[in-house]
Amino acid sequence: MYIKIKTVDAVGHIICHDITQIIPGETKGVKFFKGHIVKEEDIEVLLSLGKDLLYVYENIEGIVHEDEAAERLKNLISGDNLRASEVKEGKINLISEVDGVLKINSELVFELNMIDQIIVSTKFNNTFVRKGDSVAATRVIPLAIAEEKILLAEKKCLRKIINVKKLKIKKVGLVTTGNEVFYGRIVDRSKEVIVNKLNQYQAVLVGQKIVPDEIDKIAEAINEFISSGVDLVFCTGGMSVDASDITPTAIEKVADRVIAYGMPILPGSMTMLAYNKDIPIVGLPAGVLFSKRSSVDLLLPRLLCEDEITRVDIANYGNGGLL
């Protein structure tokens, strides 16, 4: 695939990688691109860049050039709602084509990175990304790599391991519980906080129902929102272990399944997640209303992308859940 020769002997040969020129304080960029045919006048410039030796093309069976290797790796890992950059200096970036949640098969990324001289680097799994964000990159370390390593990677990856789940415009209902709010003893702040969170993702709050501390009335309010066609219901208030806090019981009454009541996320450890069919119901403790980042910031973008959250997902939030 390539051989190493003295630069002074390189006239007429084809350079097989980009060569960068750095002028401190002025510029950094490619001076000679891969595929450039070396001319006599290039020799002094190459020597001034510290290139006394060059790698030039030569076909060798069983060896894959870094650019071809990057293309093959990209084809393995790039899934839904992603586009690939051009190969530059042997590296390809994957770029999101939509606003959404990044989904990574972390185990397969690990397995690929355990193959010597192959790298796949990504943003964290379940990260919210915007259209145009670079979310992953891949390359091989040497200028050329044994094809058997690429074949091993291709054998491991039988499905795309990096995808983006697209954000969808969602309608959200808010049930606020508590006698102190229902009877006007204090002013509710939850609506303002929830609206600010939803605005980040173009989600719409269709209404708020303020109800007293009665299980049936809380359950009725949740059901009314679900019947009206909302995609998600938030419940604020009454989420602690105090005897008068009955919102979790009301959520259980409405839900088909409860995923978790309590999460390894701080602030927001008393958060509850349940589903009525495919409609998420999220009980939010008071702490999320007074914190810049909390459990709601981890869960909300995934819920708005219809990314179903499991008990395993909740447990995994413990790694990084101290916000």
Side-chain angles (χ1 to χ4, degrees):
M1 178 57 67
Y2 66 92
I3 57 173
K4 181 168 62 176
I5 64 173
K6 292 181 179 180
T7 298
V8 293
D9 297 329
V11 174
H13 287 276
I14 301 173
I15 296 174
C16 58
H17 63 95
D18 294 342
I19 296 176
T20 300
Q21 181 181 51
I22 301 174
I23 303 176
E26 293 186 26
T27 185
K28 175 185 176 182
V30 178
K31 182 67 176 178
F32 295 99
F33 286 94
K34 173 181 67 77
H36 177 78
I37 300 174
V38 179
K39 303 178 179 62
E40 185 69 42
E41 58 266 29
D42 297 332
I43 301 299
E44 286 302 318
V45 179
L46 288 163
L47 292 173
S48 73
L49 296 176
K51 303 300 179 184
D52 293 282
L53 299 170
L54 288 179
Y55 287 111
V56 295
Y57 279 112
E58 181 178 78
N59 289 326
I60 301 176
E61 187 176 354
I63 301 296
V64 177
H65 185 267
E66 61 176 352
D67 287 357
E68 180 187 344
E71 288 283 355
R72 288 171 68 171
L73 290 171
K74 176 263 294 182
N75 291 337
L76 287 182
I77 65 177
S78 182
D80 296 338
N81 297 315
L82 292 168
R83 64 178 176 85
S85 70
E86 296 293 326
V87 182
K88 184 175 182 182
E89 297 179 332
K91 183 183 75 172
I92 293 179
N93 291 322
L94 298 184
I95 301 161
S96 179
E97 292 193 301
V98 298
D99 293 349
V101 170
L102 182 63
K103 303 299 295 182
I104 307 290
N105 186 321
S106 301
E107 291 181 3
L108 281 177
V109 169
F110 174 81
E111 288 192 32
L112 289 182
N113 283 310
M114 285 297 291
I115 302 174
D116 187 39
Q117 300 182 327
I118 286 177
I119 67 165
V120 178
S121 180
T122 75
K123 290 189 173 183
F124 282 114
N125 189 28
N126 295 320
T127 298
F128 183 77
V129 297
R130 296 289 184 186
K131 181 179 181 180
D133 286 352
S134 290
V135 301
T138 188
R139 68 172 305 158
V140 295
I141 297 302
L143 186 60
I145 188 171
E147 186 175 23
E148 63 186 20
K149 295 181 179 181
I150 302 301
L151 291 172
L152 177 58
E154 290 170 341
K155 184 177 180 180
K156 286 181 178 292
C157 293
L158 301 179
R159 60 188 185 279
K160 306 298 186 180
I161 64 175
I162 303 175
N163 299 275
V164 178
K165 296 203 77 168
K166 186 177 180 180
L167 179 69
K168 301 182 180 180
I169 305 301
K170 294 294 184 180
K171 297 180 292 182
V172 180
L174 174 61
V175 177
T176 299
T177 73
N179 290 337
E180 68 278 19
V181 179
F182 183 76
Y183 292 110
R185 298 167 190 159
I186 67 170
V187 176
D188 172 62
R189 287 193 55 210
S190 63
K191 180 178 180 180
E192 175 187 356
V193 172
I194 295 301
V195 167
N196 287 337
K197 301 287 188 186
L198 296 178
N199 285 343
Q200 299 175 52
Y201 307 105
Q202 304 176 54
V204 179
L205 184 70
V206 298
Q208 179 186 30
K209 299 179 186 293
I210 299 176
V211 295
D213 288 319
E214 297 179 30
I215 293 174
D216 289 343
K217 290 190 179 298
I218 298 170
E220 181 182 0
I222 296 171
N223 276 323
E224 285 176 354
F225 272 128
I226 292 172
S227 297
S228 72
V230 300
D231 304 293
L232 166 65
V233 178
F234 278 126
C235 298
T236 57
M239 290 299 302
S240 79
V241 294
D242 188 283
S244 63
D245 287 341
I246 56 175
T247 302
T249 304
I251 293 174
E252 287 180 355
K253 185 174 181 178
V254 174
D256 297 324
R257 61 196 188 281
V258 174
I259 306 303
Y261 175 31
M263 301 183 179
I265 304 171
L266 290 165
S269 60
M270 300 301 292
T271 299
M272 184 175 189
L273 173 63
Y275 285 87
N276 179 301
K277 296 184 175 62
D278 59 347
I279 306 299
I281 307 167
V282 183
L284 297 174
V288 308
L289 304 180
F290 304 97
S291 304
K292 186 174 181 180
R293 276 180 57 77
S294 67
S295 57
V296 67
D297 296 285
L298 299 185
L299 301 177
L300 180 58
R302 295 186 62 184
L303 296 171
L304 295 178
C305 293
E306 296 182 354
D307 183 24
E308 185 168 346
I309 299 172
T310 68
R311 186 67 185 83
V312 172
D313 291 328
I314 297 298
N316 278 328
Y317 276 127
N319 183 4
L322 185 60
L323 303 179

